[in-house]
Each structure stands twice: as C-alpha cells, then as structure tokens.
Amino acid sequence: MNRLEGRVVLITGAGRGLGHGVARGLVRYGATVIGVSRTTSELEALAAEIRQSGGDIDIQSVDLSQPAEIEELAQRVVERYGRLDALINNAAILRNRSFLDLTAEEFDETIEVNLMAPIRLIRAFLPTMLAQGYGAIINVSSRAGIQPFALETDYCAAKYGLEGFSFSLAIELQPKNISVNVVSPGYRIKPTSVTAEEFASWPEERRAEYRDPIDMADGFAYLALQDGSGVTGQRFNAFDLAEKVRQNGWDWKPDPAS
C-alpha cells in the first residue's frame, strides 16, 4: 500500500465525485496528495475524512477558471514540495443544458474549466517535471470526449478538445520522459454537478445507483507511476484499468493495438 510513497500528486476537482474517491485512494497508497477544488467546505470535509482514517492531504481552494490562481497554485506547490510527480486534471463543469439556453458566459466557463485549466496547469507544472526528468499527466475525459450528446455542446467541445490535446502532447513529451494519458470513468458515479450535500439528501435507493469512485484509484495510481518510457498516449476506462492492475499486477502493460 506504499507504492506511491514519496510521490507528490495533485488532483483537481477533489472535493466531490471522482476526484474525491481517487484522492482518498491515492492517500492510501502513500502519496502526498494535493487536493484542489473551488469549494472550500467540500475540501475540508474530504480532509476530515482522510485524517479520521489516519491519512493526510494538502487542500488548496482554487478557482480554475482564473489563470492567475493557477499560477499562484503552481508557485505554492513548487515552493513547498520542490516537485510534482503526477498531475491529474479532473475538475469539470457539466450543466446538461441546450445550446441556446446556455449563456455565452456559461459556455466560456465550461471551456475555461474543462479544457483551458488542464492546459494551463500542465504549462505551469511542466518546467518542474522537465527539471526532475520525469512526470505523469492524467487528463480525465468521458464518453463525451468521443461521442456527441444533446444538451452537452459545451461539455463535448471541451472534452473532444482535451483528448486531441492530450494525444498530441503525449507525442511531444515522450522523449522527455513524461507520460500523458486519458481516462474515462467507466461506470456510473455521482454527477460532477451534484454537491456532496445534495447527494446526501437523495433517497438511499437513488444513491445506491452510483458506485464509489475509490474503486478506480488503482488505475490512477498505475498511471501516476508511468513516465515516457512506460505507458503513454493511451485512453483508458478507469475502472477496467484498475481491474487489470488488480488482476495482473503493477508490471502489467496494455497492448497498444487493443
């Protein structure tokens, strides 16, 4: 369970949903986890849960739609830790609203958070990864990154863009020993737009329809250990990847042709 001991991992959108579960899982593997979210109360609840279990987490309240806040975050992290081993870009906005019902400001905010924030975070932390000689970048997409959906024009635009960017960047960074991979959750988890408080208020039978994303943590831990000489430039179903790791061990390598 100490496979990530000594590794510094930053995950955005850590206050709820997938980010919340993966952050808990990576702490269990011994990583120094930096959990980022805009909602301070959700980060504090995450930290309390982790600390109650004997772990710890560094929480950072950041509005990822603001470029200046991303730069300040990167500066704080590098000053405190001097490194970043893995960056998990998970934060996202999903409104499920028709194109004409979206205001221009709302559309722009989705692009800022879902596409531009990962790009800016990578730009901010890439010099550190290059200086240390390795790193792992994990960009969280969804089916909306490869399949169009009604009521998700802004979300699909961002996720399609994120996937194209990721695979192009993987080619550039492989010779520099930095991996770039894309993951999609793989099973039904609480929608990112639903707060922890809202989810807790749902009837138990409705909450039971959604799985705990901590079950995907093995997949994220596996990718956080990769560099340019390992697995890079690939797209994974996160739960299937976690199952492969659990079944075949940490030295397992996917078939690029599959």
Side-chain angles (χ1 to χ4, degrees), residues 1-9 22-23 25-33 83 85-86 88 217-218 220-226 250:
M1 293 301 290
N2 293 324
R3 191 164 292 274
L4 293 178
E5 188 171 3
R7 299 263 176 165
V8 179
V9 181
V22 172
L26 297 184
V27 167
R28 291 183 184 179
Y29 273 111
T32 297
V33 176
R83 60 192 295 175
D85 300 291
I88 302 174
D218 287 341
F220 281 86
Y222 174 83
L223 292 179
L225 290 168
Q226 304 302 316
W250 293 87

Side-chain angles (χ1 to χ4, degrees), residues 164-175:
F165 166 76
S166 299
F167 298 131
S168 296
L169 187 65
I171 297 170
E172 283 191 31
L173 295 184
Q174 184 174 23

Side-chain angles (χ1 to χ4, degrees), residues 42-72:
E42 292 182 347
L43 285 175
E44 290 173 344
L46 169 66
E49 182 177 351
I50 288 173
R51 289 164 186 161
Q52 188 174 20
S53 301
D56 200 9
I57 185 171
D58 179 353
I59 55 174
Q60 299 281 335
S61 179
V62 178
D63 183 349
L64 294 175
S65 69
Q66 302 301 313
E69 292 197 29
I70 291 175
E71 290 294 333
E72 291 165 4

Side-chain angles (χ1 to χ4, degrees), residues 98-194:
S98 72
F99 176 65
L100 288 179
D101 286 338
L102 285 166
T103 66
E105 291 76 17
E106 287 171 334
F107 197 103
D108 289 348
E109 185 184 25
T110 300
I111 300 299
E112 285 293 319
V113 173
N114 297 15
L115 175 58
M116 294 309 301
I119 292 172
R120 291 183 178 120
L121 282 159
I122 292 168
R123 186 180 292 276
F125 283 109
L126 193 52
T128 298
M129 290 185 173
L130 291 170
Q132 67 197 25
Y134 69 93
I137 297 167
I138 305 165
N139 291 329
V140 178
S141 187
S142 76
R143 285 180 62 197
I146 57 173
Q147 177 181 341
F149 291 93
L151 308 182
E152 295 186 17
T153 52
D154 55 338
Y155 191 74
C156 285
K159 292 300 187 183
Y160 268 74
L162 182 64
E163 297 214 15
F165 166 76
S166 299
F167 298 131
S168 296
L169 187 65
I171 297 170
E172 283 191 31
L173 295 184
Q174 184 174 23
K176 302 180 186 301
N177 204 33
I178 296 171
S179 64
V180 183
N181 290 289
V182 172
V183 296
S184 183
Y187 60 70
R188 199 176 189 194
I189 60 173
K190 179 178 72 62
T192 190
S193 57
V194 177

